[in-house]
Amino acid sequence: DSKKHKFNRIVFWRLDRWFRNIKDYYKVQEILEDNKIDWECSSEEYNTTTSNGRLHLNIKLSIAQTESDQTSDRIKFNFAMMVQKRNIIVGQQGMPLGYKVGGEAKNKRMIKDEETEHIAEDMWNSIQETGSVRQTLIYINQKYNLDIVYDSMRHYLMNEKYYGCYRGNTNYCPAYISKETFDKVQSIIRHNIKFNKRDEYIFSGLLVCPKCHHKLSGFTSK
């Protein structure tokens, strides 16, 4: 938008609401200066036209970045402690197929979901029998009338929680499979990967889809 000159000034409340990283500040500031766009802070005064003003700005940005880094460290520490205690750090929507949130209010944990437990077991049996993520996806969707997409199925099959591990805690939740089975399936998935290559065709970028109006381009898959 700055390159299209849709605005000529950015107004923000405090400097740490605009930036908390010195590197990002100078990267964006260069774009703003190239397009003759300035900024203004409504609660603090900065003067970037003098050496003392730029020094003051750098000090404030350094403080903001340090506070942000310290907050990040505290969050990571709290998450690590929760994982060690086997407490969940995501809600029900973040649960993989076959799991649900259980336990007491202050001690929520991942447990097997009795309603979908058999589907998860069937999924792991199918990938070992067929050796194909797509065949497993089709089988599970048709048998249980589900609408799982390919990427979701692949993420399920790459989720270490299914052998009870999470962030280094090998006893985080009830396991569906062994570590050996998980490693075997990861090898299968790696062999399932398609390599896409963009080719330049004579009409690349010229043909347009009549429905979504996006330009069409050609790909080959291996």
Side-chain angles (χ1 to χ4, degrees):
D1 287 346
S2 66
K3 293 177 181 178
K4 295 178 181 178
H5 303 289
K6 291 186 177 181
F7 57 90
N8 54 23
R9 172 168 293 189
I10 299 173
V11 182
F12 47 89
W13 175 47
R14 289 166 53 91
L15 185 65
D16 59 10
R17 299 295 90 191
W18 178 224
F19 284 109
R20 291 194 177 188
N21 184 295
I22 298 176
K23 180 181 177 182
D24 289 343
Y25 166 76
Y26 282 108
K27 190 182 299 182
V28 174
Q29 185 65 20
E30 182 179 357
I31 298 174
L32 298 180
E33 290 176 355
D34 288 344
N35 294 279
K36 296 180 174 56
I37 294 173
D38 58 10
W39 53 262
E40 178 182 347
C41 185
S42 61
S43 64
E44 300 169 325
E45 290 187 9
Y46 294 99
N47 181 7
T48 58
T49 62
T50 66
S51 58
N52 284 336
R54 289 190 292 271
L55 174 62
H56 181 55
L57 177 64
N58 279 324
I59 292 174
K60 289 290 291 184
L61 284 170
S62 297
I63 293 173
Q65 182 172 339
T66 300
E67 290 176 348
S68 177
D69 291 343
Q70 289 176 343
T71 300
S72 177
D73 290 341
R74 286 195 296 270
I75 292 173
K76 289 178 181 177
F77 175 78
N78 289 334
F79 279 177
M81 291 299 295
M82 292 175 68
V83 171
Q84 290 303 314
K85 294 179 180 179
R86 298 170 58 197
N87 294 332
I88 63 167
I89 58 178
V90 296
Q92 181 61 46
Q93 288 187 340
M95 293 289 109
L97 178 68
Y99 286 103
K100 68 177 182 179
V101 176
E104 301 174 355
K106 294 183 179 180
N107 193 26
K108 294 289 187 181
R109 292 184 175 180
M110 276 184 65
I111 62 174
K112 288 186 176 182
D113 184 359
E114 59 277 0
E115 294 184 1
T116 57
E117 181 177 355
H118 61 292
I119 303 178
E121 292 174 346
D122 216 359
M123 174 183 72
W124 286 103
N125 290 332
S126 176
I127 185 64
Q128 294 178 79
E129 291 174 1
T130 63
S132 168
V133 177
R134 188 167 298 281
Q135 288 298 320
T136 299
L137 172 69
I138 294 172
Y139 167 72
I140 293 297
N141 279 341
Q142 290 181 348
K143 182 175 180 178
Y144 298 103
N145 194 28
L146 298 176
D147 193 25
I148 303 173
V149 298
Y150 181 87
D151 285 344
S152 295
M153 176 60 68
R154 189 165 177 268
H155 287 149
Y156 287 153
L157 296 171
M158 295 176 66
N159 196 326
E160 63 179 3
K161 294 188 184 78
Y162 281 105
Y163 71 91
C165 181
Y166 184 52
R167 297 193 179 189
N169 186 347
T170 56
N171 191 34
Y172 181 74
C173 59
Y176 277 94
I177 56 173
S178 66
K179 177 65 164 58
E180 291 73 22
T181 299
F182 181 81
D183 290 339
K184 177 183 176 183
V185 171
Q186 302 319 295
S187 178
I188 293 173
I189 293 175
R190 284 193 294 270
H191 284 86
N192 270 270
I193 293 177
K194 289 184 177 180
F195 297 94
N196 293 325
K197 182 179 70 172
R198 180 185 293 272
D199 289 321
E200 289 299 325
Y201 294 94
I202 189 171
F203 292 115
S204 290
L206 298 177
L207 297 178
V208 178
C209 175
K211 293 185 178 180
C212 69
H213 305 295
H214 282 85
K215 292 182 179 179
L216 302 178
S217 58
F219 288 88
T220 57
S221 295
K222 181 179 180 181

